[in-house]
Each structure stands twice: as structure tokens, then as C-alpha cells.
Amino acid sequence: METKYIFVTGGVVSSLGKGIVAASLGKLLQARGYSVTIQKFDPYINIDPGTLNPYEHGECYVTDDGHEADLDLGHYERFLDVATSRANNITTGRIYQNVIRKERKGDYLGKTVQVIPHITDEIKRNVKLLGLKKQYDFVITEIGGTVGDIESLPFLESVRQLKWELGQSCLCLHLTYVPYIAAAGEVKTKPTQHSVKQLQEVGIQPDLLVLRTEHSLGSEILRKVALFCNVSPESVVQCVDVPTIYQVPLALQAQHLDEIVLKKCGITPQGMPELKPWKNFLALRDEATETVNIALVGKYVELQDAYKSIDESLLQAATYNRRKLNLVSIHSERVTADNVAELLGKMDGVVIAPGFGARGIEGKFEALRYTREHGIPTLGICLGMQCMVIEFARNILGWHDAHTTEIDPTTTHKVVDLMEEQKSISELGGSMRLGGYDCILKPGSKIANAYGADFIRERHRHRFEFNSQYREDFERAGMICAGENPDTGLVETVELPEHRWYVGVQFHPEYRSTVLHPNPLFLTFIKEAIAYGAENRD
Ligand code: GLN
């Protein structure tokens, strides 16, 4: 079948959940047997979000091919179970970089290089790239930002052109907000009408409208929106707040969004989407009554999206272990020797978060000392693993100045040090050790048992590594380097065989945990936490 292109735009306000709506529609089409990929265009100038801090942009997601990407790609993978790549996340910066590179090469010789057609052509080329080999039946493209933003204009112009060029094979789904004015006791459709007008002003007539709302909207409201916005009444659906984002596909399916999309693309819908495993996950989530208490220790815990993939991985793992997840966020700057027992004493398991820089790192050491000494199941991720190594060096090996050279370059015990290939790097953008790497696991180790395998592949994002020069000292003292890169010998995981479950991983298992395939490391961590909780509480 000819690839169909669906654009998801947003209006009225940001943060309406375009990514979730795109992922949910993708899920429904996939559940009908179509192959689907989702990409995100971000209108900012950075080449990628890798240099943005979590205050600006939430978590930075990493693809297997080593692209630092928008966190919405995490949603796409968690929903669809299909790996994304560098081609699935493009920024204005990358579009301009490509065009300027071509200009310098002389590809446009004699011509004035302009937003239209050169920038828009480059945007369109990137949209169609994913449909090129007819690998996908549907390419869904989410346009970041909100209609009306100056920086979105070239993207919207490209959508306008593509709708013209592709006809029925191209749709625009516009997501807007319908606020409820409590004082008037009414919902208001005016912002939606204005937002659609803004789209129409740039030449785009949306084919479908999804209305985000806190309260269920009556059919007369949906009909009113349809009338004012030139769309057929059945093409206006609502997306009411639901307890979990994983219910959104079902909520949209109940309003036949998938069928409407197919019909608009000239396809006769047959049968129903196969959502049994998905519904099974939701049923498990609803049925769980007992709780597992997990602390996440990090310096960005006050930000909702900073550890998005870790939060979702823990939720998935808790659900498959038939537990409700009680995720307690603990700011690492707050953890001290005096309060650590109070903060962590009632936890069933503790995750030490990834991160960069010195802020809050001493609190991570305090947390780790406590969980190591008290046998609480602990998972250290990336900087979290590096902290496990440093804490062990300081308190067990007695190297009190042990540190990572990221924070103390002059320490005599550089137990975590810059990787050799990083030493000559001067540019910070896109230059970390990024993406999927193979890892061999020591048979019988906790980590090999967790994965049920002795060969795995997980994604990385770091510059520093366990300093292999000290490997023997650590192993003699009881910290085992159970995972290793087969090509370079880099230590990828550490663990304490004497502890009930204390595992650190240099990679990010959270980037490869999906609703239907939760990551085995999180599943085992939660299982251990539940067992620990059962033994230690009445
Ligand atoms: N800052 C550490 C490094 O670069 C850890 C990075 C991380 O936790 N993602 O090695």
C-alpha cells in the first residue's frame, strides 16, 4: 500500500499531549495490522535536545542508533514497540544545518537559498524519508510547539504543501483544548475555533480534531466545533483526562478514531484492532491492590518529565508484578547521614538516577551507603552506577578521596574516569558514548539472572566509565564487574553478590522498556523489592 502521512498539530496551549495522541493513534493502526512509525519535528534551533537541561526539556531520550532525542520518542517506542532512530526526530537546527551544508557544497549554485522552497523542501524530504522504502503503511509526524508560533511556520507550510501534493494520502489531526470555566459552569469552544482559524490562515484545513478536556463534552459541543471548523461531526473526538496515558488508545478507539482515519485515507476498515495484550496490561494495573514502595533519588525529581522513561519502566514492571507503584521522589541534595534512615527506611527498593555534575551527588552516596548496609534492593543507573563504585571505594576500600574525574579531576583515586575516546573531544553536542552497545554478562550473576541471558544490548549516554585499572581491587573486596563490553572490555555493570540485590548499570535500561515488553532488569528489581518488603514489614 502507498504510505499514508498523518500530521499531528497542536493549538491553544502546549503540553496537551500531542505525543500521546500520536502514539495512541499509531497503536490503533498498528493493532489493525498496519506498520507504523512516528516522528517528531521540533521547531527549536538546537541540533538535538542533548545539550538542553531537564528544566528546559525534560528527559533526553536515546535511540539505538545513538541519537539524543525528544522524550516523545520514548512514548512512541513504549506504545508501538518499534525502535525509532535519528530519522524520527528532526529540529529546525538540523533542517538548516543540512540546507546550509548543501549551499556550501554548491548544490544550489546560482540560486538564492530561501525558506520556501529550500527549507520546506528539506522538511518534506525528511517526512518522506521514512516512507521511502514503503517500509511503513503510516508515517505519523508530530509537529512540536503550538500553531501560531513563529518558529512553527516553515513546518506548517510544508504540511500545507504535502496535503496538496499527496491528496487523500495525507491527513492533519489537530489537537486543541476546551477549557471549563468553573465560575460560568461552562466549557468554552472559542479557543478551539481560533486555533483552527490560525491553521486555516496558513492554508491547512484539519481533517480531524481531538479536543482535550478535563470534563466529558456533550455531543452538542462536538457538533458545534464541527460546524465552526469545517470538519464532519464524526471527525471531532474528545480526549478526556484518564488515570493513565495507556488508556488513551482505548478512549480514542471507543470514538472510532482509527476507522475515521482509515476512511479518510480511502481504506475500508475491516475487523477491529487487536488490543488484547494491551488491555491485559491495563487490567493488571486496575486489579493490583498491594503496593510496592520505590524511592527514586535524583536531583531533578521535582520535574515531572526529567526521569520519564525510568518512571514508566517502574510502572510497567510493578504492573506485571501485580503491584501498584508508589514512587517516592527524593531530592538527592536533601539526603544526609542524619535523615537517610527516615527517608529510605520504609522503602522496598531504591533507584539512584542518572545525571551530570556535582549537585546532589553526596546525597546519592549517603543513600547508597544506607541501602548497601541495610540490604535494600538497589538499582543504580549510569551516574547511579558510578556513584555505587565511588561509595564502595570510599567506604569499603577505604579510599576516602575516591571520585569521578567529572567532579574531581585531581583525586588520587580516579575510580570513574573519562573514557579514552572522549579525551580528544572538545565539542559537547552529540559527542557522548551514545546508543546501543552489546554487553556480555557473567553467567550466574544477578544481572545475568535478571535478563535470563548472558548477552544483551542496551543504550548508553555518558562520557565517563568505571576505571578498569581498579577492577581487581573492587572484585577482591566484593564488588563484581559482571557486565562487560565484548569489543572494548569496558565495565558496563557492577553488583554485590553478598547483597540481596545491589546492581549498577552504565547503560540506560529504561530506554528499552515498553508496555508489552517491559525491561527484565526492572521486572527483577521490582520482584526483589516486593520480596524484601514482604520480609521486612508486618
Ligand atoms: N555524567 C556521567 C557521565 O557522563 C553519567 C551520565 C548519565 O548518568 N547519563 O559519564
Side-chain angles (χ1 to χ4, degrees), residues 354-356 381-383 386 406 461-464 506 508:
F356 295 83
I381 301 176
C382 206
L383 180 66
Q386 297 173 357
E406 178 179 2
R461 183 178 186 241
H462 59 111
R463 295 185 199 280
F464 294 81
Q506 187 58 75
H508 291 260

Side-chain angles (χ1 to χ4, degrees), residues 1 72 165 199 223 237 393 506:
M1 135 178 168
D72 273 324
E165 285 166 29
L199 259 186
R223 268 201 304 276
V237 301
Q506 187 58 75

Side-chain angles (χ1 to χ4, degrees), residues 335-364:
V335 186
T336 64
D338 293 335
N339 67 14
V340 65
E342 191 192 323
L343 291 171
L344 298 182
K346 293 202 169 59
M347 293 295 132
D348 303 325
V350 175
V351 178
I352 308 293
F356 295 83
R359 187 164 68 91
I361 200 160
E362 294 296 327
K364 287 185 173 173

Side-chain angles (χ1 to χ4, degrees), residues 276-290:
K276 235 182 263 149
W278 192 267
K279 288 180 180 166
N280 175 43
F281 170 80
L282 287 171
L284 286 176
R285 185 186 170 279
D286 289 345
E287 284 159 16
T289 49
E290 289 180 68

